[in-house]
């Protein structure tokens, strides 16, 4: 727990001064609040003297009034400034903490990201940070003020009330035990509720992303009921926790009333028996005030412990992300230049985790010359995407050697490697912004002419010119206002602007018609002769003119050859080719 606190507090940075000032101001406020009952007791003594002698010392009365007002003002100012500094410190902590967690996530490898679900990471960046911020905001005030109030008030109650103060000593353990039990049971529930939050966010994210599918299958009612069940689970857990925590207020009221009854009853009896020698009215008044302060200090401690019980799990989840080390790191003295697009796999095996029972890739031997056009084909799960993910070092190989541009892939500076290896996925993403802004993800400083050239190679310029705003056309989040084929062509153009040594198209023309697909292939071969082009495809027509075609099967390379060679010797390729040609002929025949 303390290690988590320490790690969280690293995010204070420039806001440390406010975090230090707050406890100092709370000490001053606590001292003033504990001094006020003593001053008030002197007031009551002066009033009693007036009632007995019918004369009053106006000088003393004025002095006591001035002291009381001054101390009250100082307490007010210290409390106000403490609230202000704690707000600045806690808001600053939340800002830096979100940024630190986000930076950490951005540094993760794919293997790290696989450990956390997207919904869980979103919850950690939002709900968990908010819980931590709120606890810190109250905590840096209460964690100093409450113990000081408890100690000062207890000591001064003995000074003012003598043996009467033992009433508080007797009540305090009972109250603390009750609060401890409440927090213990509430913490168990809060730990469970955050896991439900993750599932709730996952459901929301999934439905928003797939809203068109939901509507097409008319599953709105089912999804609403599913969401209702998830929200009911969260509600029920929170209700149980809040019911337990809510007992704190009535328990505190009961404790205060009990203490007041005991102090007044026993105090009156002692005053009567000793004729006011051991305890008098001013002392009794101060004792009642100190009793309330002691119990209120316990209440403040309870509140912060209640919030802490909820936020401890949030802090643990945040620290879990902050402590996560990327499985892929830059080497010492990295290679800063990739000479060409040559790729060699030497007996490479790969699996996604050490606990995996089988390899995703097994004994891969492959030699790709710089500038070649390579096709990859195979059934779902055959290892095609796993193969190309290793080239840009999105994952590290398990065994063997992978050489890119003459050097082992793990010797390159990560930015250098990935700037020279452009990957276009089948389901690539466009971001909200104009077409030009999206394309410039490939090169922030690309000129309009370079945008035009890349778009023409990707066969995207034709449909872009049809938009009223052309390259300034706004793309909605996720590219929902363009078709799947248009989205794929824009992603290809974006990748081309990187001017990569290696261009990988992972089934990224699947939504494009065969004519446009052929035009893209022709443009890539003629206009990017020195760039190594690796194309994963489901259609044999997309790779039939490749220099070499790799047939993948169950994590192995089944065979490598040209289109003509594979048609003669490879059963997998023959089956795919004839099945697709038969379907094409049937479509052409009107069937």
């Amino acid at each position: 727990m303390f290690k988590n606190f320490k790690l969280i507090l690293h995010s204070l940075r420039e806001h440390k001064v406010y975090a230090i000032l707050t406890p100092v101001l709370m000490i001053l406020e606590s001292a003033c609040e504990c001094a006020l009952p003593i001053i008030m007791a002197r007031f009551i003594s002066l009033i009693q003297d007036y009632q007995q002698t019918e004369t009053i010392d106006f000088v003393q009365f004025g002095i006591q009034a001035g002291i009381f007002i001054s101390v009250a003002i100082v307490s007010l100012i210290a409390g106000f400034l403490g609230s202000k500094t704690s707000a600045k410190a806690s808001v600053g902590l939340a800002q830096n903490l979100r940024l630190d967690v986000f930076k950490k996530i951005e540094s993760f490898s794919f293997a790290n990201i696989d450990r956390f679900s997207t919904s869980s990471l979103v919850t950690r960046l939002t709900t968990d940070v908010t819980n931590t911020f709120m606890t810190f905001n109250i905590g840096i005030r209460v964690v100093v003020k409450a113990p000081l109030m408890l100690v000062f008030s207890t000591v001064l109650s003995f000074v003012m009330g003598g043996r009467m103060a033992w009433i508080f000593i007797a009540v305090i353990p009972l109250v603390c035990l009750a609060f401890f039990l409440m927090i213990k049971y509430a913490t168990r529930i809060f730990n469970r509720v955050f896991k439900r939050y993750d599932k709730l966010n996952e459901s929301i994210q999934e439905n928003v992303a797939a809203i068109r599918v939901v509507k097409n299958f008319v599953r709105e009612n089912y999804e609403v009921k599913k969401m209702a069940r998830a929200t009911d689970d969260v509600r029920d857990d929170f209700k149980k926790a809040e019911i337990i925590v809510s007992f704190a207020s009535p328990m505190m009221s009961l404790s205060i009333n009990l203490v007041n009854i005991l102090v007044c009853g026993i105090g009156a009896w002692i005053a009567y028996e000793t004729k006011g020698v051991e305890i008098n009215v001013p002392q009794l008044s101060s004792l009642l005030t100190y009793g309330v302060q002691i119990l209120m200090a316990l209440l403040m401690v309870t509140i912060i412990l209640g919030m802490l019980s909820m936020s401890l799990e949030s802090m643990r989840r945040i620290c879990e992300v902050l402590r996560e080390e990327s499985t892929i790191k830059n080497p010492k003295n990295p290679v800063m230049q990739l000479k060409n697009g040559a790729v060699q796999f030497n007996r490479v095996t790969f699996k996604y985790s050490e606990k995996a029972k089988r390899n995703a890739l097994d004994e891969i031997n492959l030699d790709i010359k710089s500038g070649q056009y390579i096709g990859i084909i195979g059934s779902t799960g055959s290892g095609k995407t796993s193969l190309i993910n290793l080239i840009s070092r999105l994952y590290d190989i398990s065994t063997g050697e992978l050489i890119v541009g003459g050097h082992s892939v793990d010797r390159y500076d990560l930015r250098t490697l990935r700037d020279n290896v452009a990957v276009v996925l089948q389901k690539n993403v466009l971001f909200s912004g104009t077409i030009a802004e999206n394309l410039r993800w490939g090169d922030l400083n690309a000129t309009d002419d370079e945008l035009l050239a890349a778009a023409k190679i990707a066969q995207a310029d034709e449909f872009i010119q049809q938009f009223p705003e052309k390259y300034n056309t706004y793309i909605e989040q996720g590219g929902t206002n363009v078709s799947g084929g248009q989205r794929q062509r824009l992603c290809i153009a974006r990748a081309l602007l990187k001017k990569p040594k290696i261009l990988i198209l992972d089934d990224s023309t699947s939504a494009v018609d065969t004519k446009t697909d052929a035009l893209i292939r022709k443009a890539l071969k003629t206009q990017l002769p020195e760039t190594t082009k690796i194309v994963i495809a489901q259609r044999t027509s997309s790779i039939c003119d490749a220099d070499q075609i790799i047939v993948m099967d169950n994590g192995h390379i089944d065979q490598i050859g040209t289109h003509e060679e594979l048609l003669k010797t490879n059963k997998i390729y023959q089956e795919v080719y004839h099945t697709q040609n038969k379907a094409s002929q049937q479509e052409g025949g009107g069937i």
Side-chain angles (χ1 to χ4, degrees):
M1 182 176 70
F2 292 106
K3 289 181 179 179
N4 287 347
F5 285 154
K6 187 176 180 181
L7 183 58
I8 293 290
L9 292 177
H10 281 165
S11 296
L12 269 174
R13 292 194 289 276
E14 70 273 20
H15 304 286
K16 278 183 181 178
V17 62
Y18 298 118
I20 294 170
L21 276 175
T22 300
V24 173
L25 291 166
M26 291 301 100
I27 292 172
L28 180 59
E29 183 187 20
S30 300
C32 291
E33 288 187 8
C34 289
L36 287 174
I38 298 176
I39 302 169
M40 182 59 69
R42 292 176 182 173
F43 262 121
I44 296 173
S45 295
L46 288 173
I47 293 171
Q48 282 184 322
D49 291 342
Y50 171 72
Q51 289 175 338
Q52 292 174 1
T53 63
E54 295 186 356
T55 59
I56 187 167
D57 187 341
F58 286 102
V59 174
Q60 281 297 320
F61 193 87
I63 291 172
Q64 293 301 320
I67 294 172
F68 186 89
I69 293 170
S70 299
V71 172
I73 290 173
V74 171
S75 176
L76 177 65
I77 293 172
F80 170 75
L81 292 177
S83 298
K84 187 175 181 179
T85 54
S86 69
K88 288 184 176 181
S90 57
V91 170
L93 173 67
Q95 177 192 17
N96 289 344
L97 195 56
R98 283 195 182 96
L99 185 60
D100 291 344
V101 174
F102 187 75
K103 282 182 177 178
K104 194 70 176 182
I105 293 170
E106 288 292 300
S107 73
F108 283 172
S109 67
F110 276 24
N112 295 114
I113 294 172
D114 291 343
R115 287 193 62 240
F116 302 94
S117 67
T118 303
S119 59
S120 177
L121 291 174
V122 170
T123 304
R124 292 168 204 244
L125 275 167
T126 52
T127 304
D128 289 337
V129 171
T130 299
N131 288 338
T132 303
F133 140 71
M134 291 176 65
T135 301
F136 182 78
N137 183 25
I138 296 175
I140 57 174
R141 286 178 288 162
V142 174
V143 79
V144 172
K145 183 176 180 178
L148 284 177
M149 290 289 291
L150 188 61
V151 172
F152 288 168
S153 297
T154 302
V155 171
L156 290 173
S157 65
F158 274 100
V159 172
M160 298 298 291
R163 57 179 173 162
M164 286 283 294
W166 286 105
I167 294 172
F168 307 138
I169 301 300
V171 172
I172 287 173
L174 297 176
V175 175
C176 289
L177 177 62
F179 288 158
F180 171 76
L181 293 175
M182 287 166 48
I183 291 167
K184 180 181 178 181
Y185 289 113
T187 301
R188 290 178 183 175
I189 299 173
F190 284 130
N191 289 347
R192 184 172 68 237
V193 80
F194 286 111
K195 293 177 182 177
R196 296 195 187 279
Y197 256 131
D198 287 346
K199 291 182 180 179
L200 181 65
N201 284 340
E202 184 177 3
S203 180
I204 294 170
Q205 181 186 5
E206 185 178 53
N207 272 272
V208 171
I211 190 65
R212 289 168 175 79
V213 178
V214 173
K215 288 187 175 297
N216 280 327
F217 283 87
V218 198
R219 298 277 286 183
E220 293 93 338
N221 290 336
Y222 173 82
E223 293 298 330
V224 168
K225 290 177 181 178
K226 180 179 166 184
M227 173 61 69
R229 288 194 297 269
T231 54
D232 285 347
D233 289 339
V234 173
R235 179 204 62 196
D236 291 342
D237 278 344
F238 260 119
K239 184 169 67 175
K240 291 175 184 176
E242 291 299 333
I243 287 173
I244 293 172
V245 173
S246 67
F247 277 113
S249 181
M251 188 177 297
M252 184 54 61
S253 297
L254 176 64
S255 301
I256 290 174
N257 292 330
L258 178 62
V259 165
N260 287 342
I261 292 170
L262 291 173
V263 169
C264 290
I266 297 173
W269 180 77
I270 293 175
Y272 174 77
E273 288 292 322
T274 62
K275 301 186 184 309
V277 174
E278 184 173 338
I279 191 167
N280 54 35
V281 174
Q283 290 174 309
L284 199 58
S285 173
S286 298
L287 202 59
L288 287 170
T289 305
Y290 284 128
V292 172
Q293 286 184 348
I294 288 170
L295 293 173
M296 290 305 295
L298 286 174
L299 179 60
M300 286 191 289
V301 171
T302 304
I303 291 171
I304 190 61
L305 288 177
M307 294 185 68
L308 188 61
S309 69
M310 184 173 65
S311 61
L312 277 176
E313 178 64 11
S314 290
M315 292 183 197
R316 185 196 67 77
R317 287 155 53 85
I318 292 169
C319 290
E320 188 178 18
V321 175
L322 292 175
R323 288 196 180 98
E324 180 80 3
E325 291 296 329
S326 176
T327 57
I328 295 177
K329 296 180 179 179
N330 259 350
K332 293 181 179 178
N333 303 315
V335 177
M336 301 300 294
Q337 183 179 4
L338 196 148
K339 295 179 181 178
N340 56 53
V343 179
Q344 288 179 293
F345 285 78
N346 298 323
R347 302 192 67 182
V348 170
T349 63
F350 167 70
K351 57 183 177 181
Y352 283 97
S353 73
E354 294 180 357
K355 297 179 181 178
K357 294 181 179 179
R358 60 180 292 272
N359 292 329
L361 296 171
D362 199 9
E363 289 291 317
I364 300 297
N365 291 289
L366 183 61
D367 189 1
I368 300 173
K369 301 292 189 296
S370 183
Q372 277 191 316
Y373 173 27
I374 302 296
I376 303 178
I377 197 167
S379 61
T380 302
S382 59
K384 305 183 297 295
T385 300
S386 299
L387 184 75
I388 58 100
N389 279 342
L390 300 179
I391 297 174
S392 53
R393 207 185 168 202
L394 297 176
Y395 292 95
D396 271 333
I397 62 174
S398 300
T399 62
E401 185 181 33
L402 173 55
I403 298 172
V404 176
H407 295 284
S408 177
V409 73
D410 58 5
R411 287 196 55 202
Y412 282 103
D413 171 70
L414 284 172
R415 187 181 183 89
T416 299
L417 176 66
R418 291 172 184 171
D419 272 344
N420 284 279
V421 180
V423 183
V424 184
L425 304 174
Q426 180 184 3
K427 295 181 180 179
N428 229 315
V429 177
L430 294 174
F431 298 88
S432 53
T434 65
I435 289 177
E437 288 170 346
N438 269 276
L439 295 183
R440 285 195 171 97
W441 271 63
D443 181 0
L444 186 62
N445 300 313
T447 64
D448 291 342
D449 289 340
E450 287 174 324
L451 293 184
L452 182 64
K456 284 183 175 180
I457 294 174
Q459 306 303 307
D461 181 64
E462 182 180 354
F463 74 80
I464 293 174
Q465 296 295 343
Q466 294 175 5
F467 292 133
E469 299 294 326
K470 296 182 172 52
Y471 284 82
N472 290 320
T473 300
Y474 189 82
I475 298 293
E476 301 291 342
Q477 185 179 10
T480 55
N481 59 331
V482 291
S483 70
Q486 290 171 337
R487 189 158 55 244
Q488 286 185 335
R489 282 177 276 173
L490 288 173
C491 290
I492 293 172
R494 180 174 65 186
L496 292 174
L497 281 168
K498 293 178 72 173
K499 301 178 179 65
K501 296 284 195 309
I502 301 171
L503 175 65
I504 299 172
L505 305 182
D506 186 358
D507 207 12
S508 50
T509 57
S510 58
V512 174
D513 61 87
T514 53
K515 180 182 177 182
T516 304
D517 184 17
L519 291 172
I520 292 172
R521 296 199 319 270
K522 181 180 178 181
L524 290 175
K525 291 189 75 172
T526 56
Q527 299 191 43
L528 301 173
E530 296 183 1
T531 298
T532 302
K533 297 160 282 292
I534 302 174
V535 178
I536 294 177
Q538 297 296 333
R539 298 183 302 213
T540 55
S541 60
S542 296
I543 54 174
C544 61
D545 54 349
D547 298 318
Q548 293 287 322
I549 299 172
I550 303 166
V551 181
M552 299 288 297
D553 181 38
N554 198 27
H556 297 79
I557 293 179
D558 187 70
Q559 192 173 342
I560 301 174
T562 63
H563 173 71
E564 291 76 14
E565 290 170 347
L566 294 174
L567 272 180
K568 294 177 182 178
T569 59
N570 189 266
K571 290 182 179 180
I572 296 175
Y573 194 80
Q574 289 170 353
E575 183 179 348
V576 174
Y577 177 80
H578 290 307
T579 300
Q580 291 176 356
N581 273 357
K582 183 178 179 181
S584 299
Q585 289 169 4
Q586 288 175 342
E587 289 173 5
I591 297 175

